[in-house]
């Protein structure tokens, strides 16, 4: 009998989604294990965001299954769960980091409140301890702890993004979905954020699915890579392998198009 | 003027059904009430009718009262604790004219009490019903504006955002700043807006022997707390729920444990504190209690 922890954490089986007659993504298959980061790259309109939405329980695919290994209930089809169970999963076991921090934060609520919200949603009722936890996480994502009572709309883009990450990680999820986490940030801020993410992935043993169009991000962050074009996965494999030795013409085009300063 | 004892009304007006609403409407509202009682704290939509006064004037409470009132009832109507404000007088007269039932200002004598923004100080009994007028029935409204989303949050008991609001208060002001319409957890399941009663009154709701019904006319919702149901005000373990306190006592009757109104008496900053519940104050004065300014009774009534 195979060891439970050798089972993949997330499995996509034939995930496909059509928006009416228009293809979103087709027949995506992969396995993700704890501690692994999967990068999904492709041009605009390639189906990356659709795929991410299907995987993160925000969009039910027209075909295929998304199987997740829960902490206590074995492997489940996430779309077979009830709405309540799915919400609980999204709040405790998973994190979703949006491209625009405004989609992932409550701008009218202080930084501490943002980080503490998930804890309060699952029943934390001690103000002092919630605040301590929020403080600890702000420090961990390198936000000045003195800004715990400031609203996120007074933060810079990079700080908002880091706050979003803190907000998601506070319940110690095992799987994080990221949609263009460094989009819109300047290069040095990007570098710091990627460093932070790499550190967190290593420390916490997180699994992550990172959607991006920036190959540099995947090279730094992802262990494995899937290249998407027009809704289909055209190539997949280890990041180094795919980027250094691309087989598919589209991947070759992507790699060769990267600007070299 | 002493508190009015039971007052027998004249014969009801011709041409109106008993209590203004037609029987079918009353039946519909009673069905909604039964459903609300079966699910304490859950908001039940109902087909609110056009009433002879606009939204914001107690139409929800009036419809609930109208569907329950019977010829043997004794009705009391209060507004901010007082029987003689314009709203209380008008609503009481509305029911007197359309039903012919006896009305009273004495909490002890009433079987049906309609109230705006206060709970009477005198503990209520099992044979009494308290009907609250509610402006906004949804406790999550100011945190989540979408009705679809708040319904889902109630269905899934997804109330984290409520505690975020309380957290923000403590972070900003050092304490929970909500002073009225303080959210409560009913029967350990639904978060409910108790209507804009002061938080001082929240503890009275817990395990009250009387049936508590809430009517919101504009939003067309009814909800209920059955007798002897647990009602707990939301708080944090290290910032527990606290009621308001005054340094003064009632100037007329000396009560130190009732909700006090601040009354401005002159243009030189003079003020005095008086029981908000006028019947409670009168009862205490009749029993011989006095406060520091007992002769100011007339002055208070003029204002």
């Amino acid at each position: 009998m195979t060891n439970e922890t050798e089972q993949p954490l997330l499995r996509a089986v034939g995930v496909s989604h059509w928006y009416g007659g228009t293809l979103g993504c087709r027949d995506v298959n992969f396995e993700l294990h704890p501690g692994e980061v999967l990068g999904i790259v492709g041009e605009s309109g390639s189906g990356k965001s659709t795929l991410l939405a299907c995987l993160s329980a925000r969009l039910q695919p027209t075909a295929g299954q998304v199987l997740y290994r829960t902490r206590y209930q074995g492997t489940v089809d996430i779309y077979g769960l009830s709405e309540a169970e799915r919400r609980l999963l999204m709040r405790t076991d998973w994190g979703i980091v949006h491209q625009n921090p405004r989609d992932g934060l409550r701008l009218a609520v202080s930084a501490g409140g943002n980080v503490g919200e998930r804890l309060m949603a699952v029943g934390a009722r001690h103000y002092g301890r919630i605040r301590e936890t929020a403080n600890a996480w702000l420090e961990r994502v390198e936000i000045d702890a003195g800004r715990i009572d400031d609203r996120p709309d007074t933060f810079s883009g990079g700080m908002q993004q880091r706050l979003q990450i803190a907000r998601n990680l506070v319940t110690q999820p095992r799987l994080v979905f990221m949609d263009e986490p460094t989009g819109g940030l300047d290069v040095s801020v990007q570098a710091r954020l990627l460093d932070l993410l790499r550190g967190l992935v290593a420390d916490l043993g997180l699994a992550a699915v990172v959607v991006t169009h920036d190959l540099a991000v995947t090279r730094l962050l992802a262990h494995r890579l899937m290249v998407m074009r027009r809704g289909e996965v055209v190539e997949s494999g280890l990041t180094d392998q795919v980027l250094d030795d691309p087989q598919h013409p589209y991947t070759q085009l992507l790699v060769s198009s990267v600007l070299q300063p | 003027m002493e508190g009015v004892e039971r007052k027998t009304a004249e014969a009801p007006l011709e041409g109106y059904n008993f209590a203004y609403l037609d029987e079918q409407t009353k039946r519909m509202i009673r069905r909604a009430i039964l459903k609300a009682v079966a699910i304490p704290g859950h908001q039940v939509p109902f087909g609110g009718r056009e009433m002879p006064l606009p939204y914001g004037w107690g139409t929800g409470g009036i419809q609930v009262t109208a569907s329950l009132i019977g010829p043997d009832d004794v009705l009391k109507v209060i507004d901010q604790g007082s029987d003689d404000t314009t709203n209380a007088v008008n609503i009481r007269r509305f029911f007197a004219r359309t039903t012919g039932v006896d009305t009273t200002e004495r909490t002890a004598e009433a079987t049906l009490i309609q109230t705006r923004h206060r709970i009477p100080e005198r503990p209520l009994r099992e044979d009494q019903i308290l009907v609250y007028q509610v402006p906004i029935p949804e406790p999550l409204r100011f945190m989540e504006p979408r009705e679809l989303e708040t319904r889902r949050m109630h269905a899934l008991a997804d109330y984290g955002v409520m505690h975020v609001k309380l957290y923000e208060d403590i972070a900003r002001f050092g304490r929970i700043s909500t002073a009225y319409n303080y959210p409560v957890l009913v029967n350990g399941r639904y978060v409910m807006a108790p209507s804009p009663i002061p938080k001082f009154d929240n503890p009275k709701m817990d395990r009250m022997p009387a049936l508590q019904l809430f009517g919101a006319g504009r939003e067309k919702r009814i909800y209920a707390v059955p007798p002897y149901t647990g009602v707990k005000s939301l708080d944090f373990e290290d910032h527990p729920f606290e009621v308001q306190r005054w340094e003064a006592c009632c100037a007329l009757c000396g009560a130190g444990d009732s909700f006090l109104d601040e009354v401005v008496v002159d243009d030189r900053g003079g003020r005095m504190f008086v029981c908000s519940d006028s019947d409670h104050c009168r009862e205490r004065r009749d029993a011989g209690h006095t406060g520091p300014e007992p002769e100011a009774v007339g002055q208070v009534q003029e204002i």
Side-chain angles (χ1 to χ4, degrees):
Chain A
M1 178 157 152
T2 50
N3 190 345
E4 254 302 308
T5 54
E6 283 170 17
Q7 299 291 321
L9 189 61
L10 183 72
R11 242 177 82 206
V13 181
V15 174
S16 317
H17 190 74
W18 272 269
Y19 296 102
T22 315
L23 177 67
C25 61
R26 191 210 317 261
D27 206 27
V28 177
N29 296 282
F30 68 84
E31 284 181 3
L32 190 67
H33 291 259
E36 264 194 304
V37 179
L38 174 71
I40 304 177
V41 294
E43 62 192 358
S44 308
S46 59
K48 325 188 286 286
S49 297
T50 303
L51 177 60
L52 194 71
C54 289
L55 295 174
S56 56
R58 285 174 294 155
L59 180 64
Q60 180 149 14
T62 28
Q65 285 184 305
V66 180
L67 303 166
Y68 176 74
R69 175 162 60 82
T70 60
R71 280 185 225 250
Y72 307 116
Q73 292 166 292
T75 303
V76 295
D77 177 350
I78 59 174
Y79 291 102
L81 296 173
S82 68
E83 175 79 29
E85 288 169 316
R86 227 188 342 260
R87 276 202 176 199
L88 186 62
L89 201 66
M90 286 171 84
R91 194 164 291 127
T92 53
D93 249 24
W94 287 358
I96 301 180
V97 178
H98 296 262
Q99 178 172 3
N100 190 340
R102 286 171 152 67
D103 294 330
L105 293 173
R106 284 192 194 273
L107 293 176
V109 171
S110 70
N114 265 293
V115 176
E117 179 173 351
R118 279 194 169 193
L119 295 173
M120 290 186 258
V122 294
R125 290 289 176 264
H126 192 281
Y127 176 80
R129 284 199 289 264
I130 294 168
R131 203 170 162 80
E132 248 176 67
T133 312
N135 245 314
W137 271 101
L138 286 180
E139 278 180 17
R140 202 150 180 192
V141 298
E142 296 169 24
I143 296 178
D144 176 17
R147 304 207 60 180
I148 188 173
D149 292 325
D150 290 346
R151 286 167 41 148
D153 52 13
T154 63
F155 287 5
S156 70
M159 286 168 79
Q160 284 177 350
Q161 203 54 306
R162 278 178 279 144
L163 182 63
Q164 223 203 133
I165 290 167
R167 178 183 156 92
N168 275 290
L169 296 184
V170 72
T171 45
Q172 290 159 349
R174 299 189 299 159
L175 176 59
V176 182
F177 298 96
M178 297 194 227
D179 193 351
E180 312 269 5
T182 56
L185 301 176
D186 78 75
V187 189
S188 64
V189 177
Q190 266 193 43
R192 268 182 80 188
L193 192 68
L194 289 173
D195 241 3
L196 174 71
L197 285 172
R198 256 214 316 245
L200 288 171
V201 166
D203 286 343
L204 304 174
L206 284 180
V209 178
V210 182
V211 160
T212 181
H213 59 253
D214 188 345
L215 290 181
V217 171
T218 52
R219 199 183 270 280
L220 284 173
L221 209 49
H223 301 110
R224 287 193 296 124
L225 194 57
M226 269 184 1
V227 182
M228 289 190 73
R229 182 171 183 257
R230 299 218 185 131
E232 305 206 339
V233 179
V234 297
E235 192 161 351
S236 66
L238 298 173
T239 309
D240 300 342
Q241 195 179 12
V242 173
L243 293 180
D244 293 338
D245 186 19
Q247 300 293 311
H248 192 276
Y250 176 66
T251 321
Q252 290 167 355
L253 176 65
L254 259 185
V255 173
S256 61
S257 308
V258 175
L259 299 171
Q260 301 288 358
Chain B
M1 183 173 72
E2 292 300 342
V4 173
E5 288 186 40
R6 195 150 160 166
K7 186 173 165 202
T8 312
E10 288 120 37
L13 291 172
E14 295 272 322
Y16 287 97
N17 194 38
F18 186 86
Y20 185 79
L21 295 174
D22 59 278
E23 291 306 311
Q24 202 54 27
T25 300
K26 287 194 252 176
R27 209 166 286 143
M28 178 271 298
I29 294 174
R30 285 196 294 265
R31 283 198 194 105
I33 292 173
L34 285 176
K35 189 165 174 180
V37 169
I39 317 173
H42 169 71
Q43 298 163 48
V44 177
F46 77 105
R49 300 291 188 249
E50 240 186 74
M51 300 300 287
L53 60 172
Y55 295 136
W57 293 83
T59 54
I62 290 172
Q63 288 179 85
V64 170
T65 302
S67 65
L68 296 175
I69 197 164
D72 298 332
D73 270 307
V74 181
L75 177 69
K76 172 178 161 84
V77 182
I78 48 173
D79 176 5
Q80 302 280 25
S82 165
D83 303 81
D84 53 10
T85 65
T86 311
N87 296 330
V89 167
N90 279 331
I91 294 173
R92 188 168 55 240
R93 204 164 51 178
F94 169 79
F95 280 112
R97 284 176 170 174
T98 57
T99 63
V101 303
D102 295 348
T103 61
T104 182
E105 293 186 11
R106 297 201 168 168
T107 311
E109 288 186 3
T111 59
L112 194 51
I113 303 170
Q114 180 167 329
T115 176
R116 175 178 170 272
H117 300 358
R118 282 244 43 223
I119 298 179
E121 303 289 348
R122 181 179 234 282
L124 299 179
R125 305 183 305 264
E126 282 178 9
D127 62 320
Q128 294 175 308
I129 298 178
L130 186 59
V131 177
Y132 297 73
Q133 293 171 207
V134 180
I136 295 180
E138 177 55 67
L140 306 171
R141 179 57 61 225
F142 295 107
M143 284 148 282
E144 176 53 69
R146 293 168 293 177
E147 174 70 16
L148 200 59
E149 188 58 30
T150 52
R151 282 203 201 183
R152 205 174 286 151
M153 288 161 97
H154 282 294
L156 302 175
D158 189 0
Y159 294 125
V161 75
M162 193 76 238
H163 278 269
V164 170
K165 193 250 174 215
L166 301 179
Y167 170 99
E168 286 295 291
D169 274 359
I170 300 174
R172 233 180 303 186
F173 308 121
R175 55 179 193 31
I176 298 173
S177 68
T178 313
Y180 58 91
N181 200 14
Y182 193 106
V184 294
L185 186 67
V186 177
N187 206 28
R189 173 58 179 88
Y190 281 96
V191 167
M192 181 185 93
S195 84
I197 55 176
K199 65 178 181 175
F200 182 88
D201 283 342
N202 276 21
K204 299 189 180 82
M205 298 178 69
D206 189 27
R207 307 198 64 76
M208 186 193 276
L211 171 64
Q212 301 171 77
L213 299 175
F214 299 78
R218 172 178 21 216
E219 297 293 318
K220 305 194 199 317
R221 299 280 188 274
I222 285 173
Y223 46 103
V225 177
Y228 300 110
T229 303
V231 175
K232 187 179 172 310
S233 302
L234 301 183
D235 60 7
F236 285 99
E237 285 164 17
D238 51 342
H239 282 83
F241 173 75
E242 275 179 357
V243 297
Q244 292 114 325
R245 274 175 237 291
W246 288 260
E247 281 163 14
C249 61
C250 173
L252 304 182
C253 76
D257 60 353
S258 75
F259 189 86
L260 301 180
D261 282 337
E262 188 174 341
V263 181
V264 174
V265 294
D266 57 38
D267 59 359
R268 290 186 300 281
R271 61 215 175 111
M272 64 178 175
F273 291 86
V274 176
C275 282
S276 153
D277 186 339
S278 48
D279 181 56
H280 177 72
C281 200
R282 180 212 42 84
E283 211 178 284
R284 281 183 55 90
R285 291 198 311 269
D286 285 351
H289 297 279
T290 49
E293 288 174 70
E295 66 286 351
V297 171
Q299 197 175 10
V300 171
Q301 247 117 30
E302 266 166 41
I303 290 162

